Amino acid sequence: MSKTLRDQERQTGWWLLAPAVILLLLVYAYPIGRSFWLSLFTQNLGTELQPVFTGLNNYGRMAIDGRFWQSIGNTTLFTAISVLLELLLGLGTALVLNQSFRGRGAVRTIALLPWALPTALIATTWTWIFNDQFGVWNDLLMRAGLIKTGINWLGDPHWALWTVIAADVWKTTPFIAILLLAGLQAIPNDLYEAHTLDGASPWQNFYRITLPLLMPQILIATLFRFAQAFGIFDLIQVMTGGGPGGATETVSIYIYATIMRYLDFGYGAALVVVTFLILSLAVAIAAFWLSKLRPAGDWR
Amino acid sequence: MAQLKLRALNKTYNPQVVPLKDLSLDVQDGEFLTLLGPSGCGKSTTLRLIAGLEQPTRGEIWIGDRNVTEQAPGDRNIAMVFQSYALYPHMTVYDNIASGLKLRRMPASEIRQRIEEVNRFLGLDGLLKRKPGQLSGGQRQRVALARALVRRPDVFLLDEPLSNLDALLREQVRAELKQIFSDQNAPIVYVTHDQTEAMTLSTRVAVLNDGYLQQLDSPKRIYTRPANRFVAGFIGSPQMNLLPLKCDQNCAMLGRYPIPLPDRIRLPEVILGIRPEHVRLARPGETSTLQGQVMLVENLGMSDLLSVQVEGTSIGLRALLSPDQSWGEKNISLVLPAESLHWFDPQTGDRLP
Amino acid sequence: MTNSSSQASTHALSTRRIGLAIVILLILIFSLAPILWQLLTSFKTTADIAAIPNVYFPKQLTIEHYTEIFRRQPFLRYMFNSGFVAITSTLLCLLIGTPAAYALARLKLPGEQIVLAATLIVTLFPYILLFLGLLELVRTFGLANHYLALIVPYTAMNVPLTILVMRSFFQQLPRDLEDSAKVDGYSTVQMLLQILMPLTLPALVTTGILTFIAAWNEFLFALTFITRESMKTIPVAVAQLSGTAVFEIPYGALAAATVIGTLPLVLLLLIFQQRIVQGLTAGAVKG
Amino acid sequence: MFTVLHLFRTERLPYLRFVALTITCCCCILLWGKIALSQQPIHLSMLTSALDAAQGQSLVAAFEAQNPDIKIDVVEGPNASNLIEDLYTSSFLLGDSPYDLVMMDVVWLPKFAAAGWLLDLTDRIPANDLADFMTADLEGGRYDGRLYRLPVRSDAQLLYYRKDWLQQAGIQPPDTFDQLMAASKLLQSAGISKWGYVWQGRQFEGLAAVFVDILAGFGGFWVNPTDREVGLDHPEAIAALQFLRDTVTSGISPPGVTNYQHEDARRLFQGGEVAFMHNWPYAYPLSNAEDSPIKGKFDIKLMVHQPGLTSAACLGGWGIGITKTTAHPDAALRVAQFYASPDAQRLSILENGYLPTRRSLYADPAILTKYPYFSGMMSVIDNAVLRPPIAQYAQASDILQRYLSAAITDRMSPEAALQAAARETRALLAQE
């Protein structure tokens, strides 16, 4: 018992932290590290699922894999468009919910609803709404006279990705709206009052006060959504499975197919590694921006 | 029974704690020691070190003949009253008071008996079943005190226990505190930045600044014989006049006016200290007077605080005069009584004997 | 923001009001319409569901789709699986995440910044990056078709959120309380259980709801690690329902299954809206 | 050691009690789950599409009537066969397969066999039992020379044609690609037929199957299973793809054909809008049904070929295999043999109209009475070609589908598309 009190406290601390750290290492660090290792092997049906060391062969194969590049393209498009739309709609929703009106709490609850529901179930709902024959969306458009015959939203390669984006926007806009709403509510009203006394219009208020002060929240929300959208799986898996003809195949769907359908573990691991690196790079850039922005956000 | 000894305690800088340098203190049984100083002086650090909430970088803490430096707070048998009272919000008053005893596996009957006892002179009747949220500030303060008293600890620690009370209540509780702790048989260490509390409650006061112990003395001596320039300026309100003066042979020169230095002081410069309440109006015919111009008069109620610019200098002198005295609109003659003068070394700040 | 000078504003104010009302209405329609359509579908007769043009106001409502999913599929079993996995992993997650959050909030550990940063970054990585490694682990430990195959990853995927949210709650608690407890003689673990736990109960509920929602909704692991009918969770069971009727997709049953599967979450949201919002923002913004 | 104890210093009970309770609860529930799953009579489980499950009910009843000690639990899966394949794959991959029997498409076999998931039946079936099976169907059940599957249902792609329209125009059914094109143009320009030829152009397995037929007709090959040579960038393959593309550009096929699946093609053919259709035999009874506008007006033949070459139909069909990890291999073998038996096949064929895998059944009076056109089908099956029986077939097929689709939708030239396809396929197969 010659340990100092500080040592004891530290030790207690480690014991408190240990289960969480072990769990995170097991479920996060190990799989990703393992993927790095496995990506150097060929382990697929051709090798009867035995690992054979082939160095960077998998990465070379990836370079000429047209489907991989298409999936990267799809993922990028999906991520960019859906996050952008979600930001705009989310900001709009947040601004509206930040006004005081009767029943605001109820509206806020309802606006949050899409976020809380299971994506896989919601995907079936949207599949049904966008059904080419019985879908209500086609019906509404036809009643409005905008189209003459029903569009096969999910079956037509030209429409499928946009349809999936629409569903994703619906599902995750509330998340952004809530984050931004919290940011809006933290901006003290006196700032607006002072600025208004200075003669600023509402638009100037928004542009010169709301937007800069909200920037940290916007960036964080974007970062979160970017990462989630880049890894989108359940929505697309249920709505289109990546089809038609790979039109909605994102990296996640491709990775899943490579591993679970083709049993091409080595190549799947290489895909995981590359996706991980791309995401890490993007996160690092975003974090760098964020850290530069932080001083501006420190007014609280 | 027990005696609290701090031996050369050091706490080096870290972001959370004010540093502490080479603090040694002895607190005897029943003695009420106040740690006094401005914020950031290290007084809370000292208290937290004693409690074991922080670990000293160097030095030792003894309670009686136990070296508790490496003991956990709960093992030191101390009790502490916090500024925020730190009552457990989810427990009843009774459980709050009993918690420390229960942890020491005291039989329930004895706990009940002890609480009764404390209850009697703190007057907590009818509060025992309530939760802290349902109590007023003064009541919470009492519960916090009760929680400490019931423990019969080897040392009491009180961290600014009055600062969350409003002014009226504070005076009342201050008086009660004095009474309650006069019966206690353990060392009491009390932290405050309020010198009135320090003066009224303590048997001894330790003035801290910048992590250093400045003076450890009875309240009276702290006031009458401040050990250095810092203590002189910190204790007493309004603040003591501290005038840097040049010396000319045996005299310090306040403008044109020579002030005789005590014999042993031979320095080119000194700091002259005099409390505003000791400056008095010159009587008619008095010779060695100081001429000055009244720059500002602040009415403090029972007296007036005058800011006087000493003639021929830019030095300002404050004097506390009772309003029944009269003086000229502008010009005023003042006397600095020799027995009320304090001299300090401008280099070290130490008192010159 | 507030009303400007009063004379000219009456007119401007009322147009503003109407504009606001319209926008709110749009938000409500946007959020509710798909769910309401699915709800309506679940009560329509099969003939009405397949009618062209669509039937918006059915003359006849039916609950046959609801009885059908319970009759044809072990739907109660799915509900139980989802509930059991979600509740167990939520409890485990709180049990593991809360002490860690406390350690990170208060105990000045060396390297805690690294742990914290790692926790944050980890929340950004999609599960697809993990599932190859986890698949191997599941195979190695023979956890296929085992609740643990889901409970462990669900717990892990919610631990970062728990740590972030609980840590920010712990940091808001007054320090004096813990100091007081230490002086009273509580050990760190006792203090966590007897003093801090009761105080953080609201925060625990908040976090628990968020983790429950995440676990209930998870799809990828449930799809991959469970192949036995009797072990499937709601999202996977419903998603796989879509192709199992003989000649066409059973839209009515699918709608009913969706409604049932989402019902617990809707209830949670209605009851705990405030807390969910709190937790979401604490988890995301504070980090 | 001591530090752990230190954690629970004075009052350690609440913590420990809670942990113990949680663990006990978990254990109890898991145990309960395990017990609930193990029951008394031998249950053999098999996953099929919901459609097959419905159609196979009488087979199950017949088997259980003869074998009271065995129960067959048919799990209904999705109707899309690739989803069934995925469900089987993930359950085998996990190592805890709920299925004892595998009802599999011919193209899955190499994968399942190479992965080591199937019981080797080579030595369990007497050779004389195998003699009755069609060679092509039996071949589809082998991998690396070992038998893993007993065929229960055969299939081969055909060319459907409107014999009434051809008679009207005074031409013979086409034998070569040029004849097919010419006949189509003639019928279209004469206003007899709106479209000439429909096939399955959507990016899915059906497109690969169509291409296999065309490729055989041009004398090309996809992957040689023995030496793993990839033939996709050979001139024959490029010519085959050029043909497919020409049908679209010349207006013989409707522009939408690049998004068609089997049912789209059948609806068009049955609706009397097209003269030639590439499809599986399942369309025959449907198009010849009482309410079909073209009942009796069409016929079937082998797909066309280049002059001097022969046609070969892409072989399909289903068979039954046994999971390697099954606890009841003998019982499972009884089920498999039953499903492949003449009686069972007859029962199923009379109900559902699929093609048999046994020679004897092509001469079966009961079957021929009901389906007279079966008599011509035996030679079709005998001439059928397998899609490459390589373990990575699914991957190879997806590569090919992508580039076929790119070429027929005019995003790449046939040559560039097939070169890319060949390159990726070689990279895939070189991974050994």
Side-chain angles (χ1 to χ4, degrees), chain C residues 192-204:
Chain C
L192 256 178
L193 289 177
Q194 292 172 29
I195 306 292
L196 297 181
M197 261 268 279
L199 297 181
T200 50
L201 209 60
L204 287 174

mmCIF file with all atom_site columns, all heavy atoms in Angstrom, chain C residues 192-204:
data_model
loop_
_atom_site.group_PDB
_atom_site.id
_atom_site.type_symbol
_atom_site.label_atom_id
_atom_site.label_alt_id
_atom_site.label_comp_id
_atom_site.label_asym_id
_atom_site.label_entity_id
_atom_site.label_seq_id
_atom_site.pdbx_PDB_ins_code
_atom_site.Cartn_x
_atom_site.Cartn_y
_atom_site.Cartn_z
_atom_site.occupancy
_atom_site.B_iso_or_equiv
_atom_site.pdbx_formal_charge
_atom_site.auth_seq_id
_atom_site.auth_comp_id
_atom_site.auth_asym_id
_atom_site.auth_atom_id
_atom_site.pdbx_PDB_model_num
ATOM 1  N N   . LEU C 1 192 ? -20.065 7.069  -7.154  1.00 0.00 ? 192 LEU C N   1
ATOM 2  C CA  . LEU C 1 192 ? -20.761 6.987  -8.438  1.00 0.00 ? 192 LEU C CA  1
ATOM 3  C C   . LEU C 1 192 ? -22.157 6.408  -8.246  1.00 0.00 ? 192 LEU C C   1
ATOM 4  O O   . LEU C 1 192 ? -23.127 6.917  -8.797  1.00 0.00 ? 192 LEU C O   1
ATOM 5  C CB  . LEU C 1 192 ? -19.968 6.075  -9.365  1.00 0.00 ? 192 LEU C CB  1
ATOM 6  C CG  . LEU C 1 192 ? -19.160 6.745  -10.461 1.00 0.00 ? 192 LEU C CG  1
ATOM 7  C CD1 . LEU C 1 192 ? -18.392 5.712  -11.245 1.00 0.00 ? 192 LEU C CD1 1
ATOM 8  C CD2 . LEU C 1 192 ? -20.094 7.509  -11.385 1.00 0.00 ? 192 LEU C CD2 1
ATOM 9  N N   . LEU C 1 193 ? -22.234 5.344  -7.466  1.00 0.00 ? 193 LEU C N   1
ATOM 10 C CA  . LEU C 1 193 ? -23.505 4.636  -7.350  1.00 0.00 ? 193 LEU C CA  1
ATOM 11 C C   . LEU C 1 193 ? -24.481 5.353  -6.442  1.00 0.00 ? 193 LEU C C   1
ATOM 12 O O   . LEU C 1 193 ? -25.659 5.420  -6.728  1.00 0.00 ? 193 LEU C O   1
ATOM 13 C CB  . LEU C 1 193 ? -23.271 3.219  -6.817  1.00 0.00 ? 193 LEU C CB  1
ATOM 14 C CG  . LEU C 1 193 ? -22.605 2.258  -7.799  1.00 0.00 ? 193 LEU C CG  1
ATOM 15 C CD1 . LEU C 1 193 ? -22.369 0.917  -7.139  1.00 0.00 ? 193 LEU C CD1 1
ATOM 16 C CD2 . LEU C 1 193 ? -23.474 2.086  -9.029  1.00 0.00 ? 193 LEU C CD2 1
ATOM 17 N N   . GLN C 1 194 ? -23.961 5.885  -5.314  1.00 0.00 ? 194 GLN C N   1
ATOM 18 C CA  . GLN C 1 194 ? -24.899 6.375  -4.306  1.00 0.00 ? 194 GLN C CA  1
ATOM 19 C C   . GLN C 1 194 ? -25.155 7.873  -4.370  1.00 0.00 ? 194 GLN C C   1
ATOM 20 O O   . GLN C 1 194 ? -26.217 8.333  -3.968  1.00 0.00 ? 194 GLN C O   1
ATOM 21 C CB  . GLN C 1 194 ? -24.397 5.995  -2.905  1.00 0.00 ? 194 GLN C CB  1
ATOM 22 C CG  . GLN C 1 194 ? -24.455 4.494  -2.712  1.00 0.00 ? 194 GLN C CG  1
ATOM 23 C CD  . GLN C 1 194 ? -23.793 4.059  -1.434  1.00 0.00 ? 194 GLN C CD  1
ATOM 24 O OE1 . GLN C 1 194 ? -23.757 4.813  -0.473  1.00 0.00 ? 194 GLN C OE1 1
ATOM 25 N NE2 . GLN C 1 194 ? -23.243 2.864  -1.425  1.00 0.00 ? 194 GLN C NE2 1
ATOM 26 N N   . ILE C 1 195 ? -24.198 8.614  -4.844  1.00 0.00 ? 195 ILE C N   1
ATOM 27 C CA  . ILE C 1 195 ? -24.397 10.065 -4.894  1.00 0.00 ? 195 ILE C CA  1
ATOM 28 C C   . ILE C 1 195 ? -24.676 10.517 -6.331  1.00 0.00 ? 195 ILE C C   1
ATOM 29 O O   . ILE C 1 195 ? -25.663 11.200 -6.601  1.00 0.00 ? 195 ILE C O   1
ATOM 30 C CB  . ILE C 1 195 ? -23.155 10.816 -4.377  1.00 0.00 ? 195 ILE C CB  1
ATOM 31 C CG1 . ILE C 1 195 ? -22.778 10.333 -2.997  1.00 0.00 ? 195 ILE C CG1 1
ATOM 32 C CG2 . ILE C 1 195 ? -23.396 12.322 -4.391  1.00 0.00 ? 195 ILE C CG2 1
ATOM 33 C CD1 . ILE C 1 195 ? -23.753 10.689 -1.922  1.00 0.00 ? 195 ILE C CD1 1
ATOM 34 N N   . LEU C 1 196 ? -23.820 10.122 -7.276  1.00 0.00 ? 196 LEU C N   1
ATOM 35 C CA  . LEU C 1 196 ? -23.945 10.684 -8.621  1.00 0.00 ? 196 LEU C CA  1
ATOM 36 C C   . LEU C 1 196 ? -25.053 10.024 -9.432  1.00 0.00 ? 196 LEU C C   1
ATOM 37 O O   . LEU C 1 196 ? -25.759 10.689 -10.163 1.00 0.00 ? 196 LEU C O   1
ATOM 38 C CB  . LEU C 1 196 ? -22.608 10.567 -9.344  1.00 0.00 ? 196 LEU C CB  1
ATOM 39 C CG  . LEU C 1 196 ? -21.508 11.375 -8.666  1.00 0.00 ? 196 LEU C CG  1
ATOM 40 C CD1 . LEU C 1 196 ? -20.199 11.267 -9.425  1.00 0.00 ? 196 LEU C CD1 1
ATOM 41 C CD2 . LEU C 1 196 ? -21.914 12.840 -8.566  1.00 0.00 ? 196 LEU C CD2 1
ATOM 42 N N   . MET C 1 197 ? -25.192 8.694  -9.279  1.00 0.00 ? 197 MET C N   1
ATOM 43 C CA  . MET C 1 197 ? -26.214 8.003  -10.066 1.00 0.00 ? 197 MET C CA  1
ATOM 44 C C   . MET C 1 197 ? -27.589 8.620  -9.889  1.00 0.00 ? 197 MET C C   1
ATOM 45 O O   . MET C 1 197 ? -28.251 8.937  -10.870 1.00 0.00 ? 197 MET C O   1
ATOM 46 C CB  . MET C 1 197 ? -26.249 6.521  -9.684  1.00 0.00 ? 197 MET C CB  1
ATOM 47 C CG  . MET C 1 197 ? -25.509 5.632  -10.630 1.00 0.00 ? 197 MET C CG  1
ATOM 48 S SD  . MET C 1 197 ? -26.559 4.987  -11.903 1.00 0.00 ? 197 MET C SD  1
ATOM 49 C CE  . MET C 1 197 ? -27.322 3.623  -11.014 1.00 0.00 ? 197 MET C CE  1
ATOM 50 N N   . PRO C 1 198 ? -28.038 8.790  -8.625  1.00 0.00 ? 198 PRO C N   1
ATOM 51 C CA  . PRO C 1 198 ? -29.374 9.382  -8.467  1.00 0.00 ? 198 PRO C CA  1
ATOM 52 C C   . PRO C 1 198 ? -29.471 10.766 -9.110  1.00 0.00 ? 198 PRO C C   1
ATOM 53 O O   . PRO C 1 198 ? -30.510 11.116 -9.660  1.00 0.00 ? 198 PRO C O   1
ATOM 54 C CB  . PRO C 1 198 ? -29.541 9.479  -6.949  1.00 0.00 ? 198 PRO C CB  1
ATOM 55 C CG  . PRO C 1 198 ? -28.557 8.521  -6.399  1.00 0.00 ? 198 PRO C CG  1
ATOM 56 C CD  . PRO C 1 198 ? -27.421 8.455  -7.338  1.00 0.00 ? 198 PRO C CD  1
ATOM 57 N N   . LEU C 1 199 ? -28.374 11.502 -9.068  1.00 0.00 ? 199 LEU C N   1
ATOM 58 C CA  . LEU C 1 199 ? -28.428 12.849 -9.629  1.00 0.00 ? 199 LEU C CA  1
ATOM 59 C C   . LEU C 1 199 ? -28.446 12.837 -11.145 1.00 0.00 ? 199 LEU C C   1
ATOM 60 O O   . LEU C 1 199 ? -28.999 13.727 -11.768 1.00 0.00 ? 199 LEU C O   1
ATOM 61 C CB  . LEU C 1 199 ? -27.213 13.657 -9.161  1.00 0.00 ? 199 LEU C CB  1
ATOM 62 C CG  . LEU C 1 199 ? -27.123 13.885 -7.670  1.00 0.00 ? 199 LEU C CG  1
ATOM 63 C CD1 . LEU C 1 199 ? -25.909 14.709 -7.338  1.00 0.00 ? 199 LEU C CD1 1
ATOM 64 C CD2 . LEU C 1 199 ? -28.376 14.579 -7.198  1.00 0.00 ? 199 LEU C CD2 1
ATOM 65 N N   . THR C 1 200 ? -27.794 11.802 -11.726 1.00 0.00 ? 200 THR C N   1
ATOM 66 C CA  . THR C 1 200 ? -27.718 11.782 -13.179 1.00 0.00 ? 200 THR C CA  1
ATOM 67 C C   . THR C 1 200 ? -28.821 10.933 -13.776 1.00 0.00 ? 200 THR C C   1
ATOM 68 O O   . THR C 1 200 ? -28.804 10.660 -14.962 1.00 0.00 ? 200 THR C O   1
ATOM 69 C CB  . THR C 1 200 ? -26.365 11.244 -13.652 1.00 0.00 ? 200 THR C CB  1
ATOM 70 O OG1 . THR C 1 200 ? -26.119 10.037 -12.963 1.00 0.00 ? 200 THR C OG1 1
ATOM 71 C CG2 . THR C 1 200 ? -25.255 12.217 -13.385 1.00 0.00 ? 200 THR C CG2 1
ATOM 72 N N   . LEU C 1 201 ? -29.759 10.518 -12.942 1.00 0.00 ? 201 LEU C N   1
ATOM 73 C CA  . LEU C 1 201 ? -30.836 9.690  -13.457 1.00 0.00 ? 201 LEU C CA  1
ATOM 74 C C   . LEU C 1 201 ? -31.497 10.286 -14.705 1.00 0.00 ? 201 LEU C C   1
ATOM 75 O O   . LEU C 1 201 ? -31.699 9.590  -15.699 1.00 0.00 ? 201 LEU C O   1
ATOM 76 C CB  . LEU C 1 201 ? -31.863 9.428  -12.364 1.00 0.00 ? 201 LEU C CB  1
ATOM 77 C CG  . LEU C 1 201 ? -32.604 8.101  -12.519 1.00 0.00 ? 201 LEU C CG  1
ATOM 78 C CD1 . LEU C 1 201 ? -31.624 6.948  -12.489 1.00 0.00 ? 201 LEU C CD1 1
ATOM 79 C CD2 . LEU C 1 201 ? -33.650 7.957  -11.445 1.00 0.00 ? 201 LEU C CD2 1
ATOM 80 N N   . PRO C 1 202 ? -31.815 11.579 -14.686 1.00 0.00 ? 202 PRO C N   1
ATOM 81 C CA  . PRO C 1 202 ? -32.406 12.148 -15.898 1.00 0.00 ? 202 PRO C CA  1
ATOM 82 C C   . PRO C 1 202 ? -31.488 11.998 -17.102 1.00 0.00 ? 202 PRO C C   1
ATOM 83 O O   . PRO C 1 202 ? -31.941 11.647 -18.193 1.00 0.00 ? 202 PRO C O   1
ATOM 84 C CB  . PRO C 1 202 ? -32.573 13.638 -15.550 1.00 0.00 ? 202 PRO C CB  1
ATOM 85 C CG  . PRO C 1 202 ? -32.511 13.705 -14.077 1.00 0.00 ? 202 PRO C CG  1
ATOM 86 C CD  . PRO C 1 202 ? -31.694 12.555 -13.607 1.00 0.00 ? 202 PRO C CD  1
ATOM 87 N N   . ALA C 1 203 ? -30.201 12.225 -16.882 1.00 0.00 ? 203 ALA C N   1
ATOM 88 C CA  . ALA C 1 203 ? -29.253 12.090 -17.989 1.00 0.00 ? 203 ALA C CA  1
ATOM 89 C C   . ALA C 1 203 ? -29.183 10.642 -18.444 1.00 0.00 ? 203 ALA C C   1
ATOM 90 O O   . ALA C 1 203 ? -29.085 10.359 -19.639 1.00 0.00 ? 203 ALA C O   1
ATOM 91 C CB  . ALA C 1 203 ? -27.873 12.571 -17.561 1.00 0.00 ? 203 ALA C CB  1
ATOM 92 N N   . LEU C 1 204 ? -29.253 9.714  -17.494 1.00 0.00 ? 204 LEU C N   1
ATOM 93 C CA  . LEU C 1 204 ? -29.223 8.299  -17.860 1.00 0.00 ? 204 LEU C CA  1
ATOM 94 C C   . LEU C 1 204 ? -30.444 7.936  -18.692 1.00 0.00 ? 204 LEU C C   1
ATOM 95 O O   . LEU C 1 204 ? -30.345 7.192  -19.666 1.00 0.00 ? 204 LEU C O   1
ATOM 96 C CB  . LEU C 1 204 ? -29.175 7.427  -16.598 1.00 0.00 ? 204 LEU C CB  1
ATOM 97 C CG  . LEU C 1 204 ? -27.848 7.423  -15.845 1.00 0.00 ? 204 LEU C CG  1
ATOM 98 C CD1 . LEU C 1 204 ? -27.973 6.640  -14.554 1.00 0.00 ? 204 LEU C CD1 1
ATOM 99 C CD2 . LEU C 1 204 ? -26.756 6.816  -16.706 1.00 0.00 ? 204 LEU C CD2 1
#
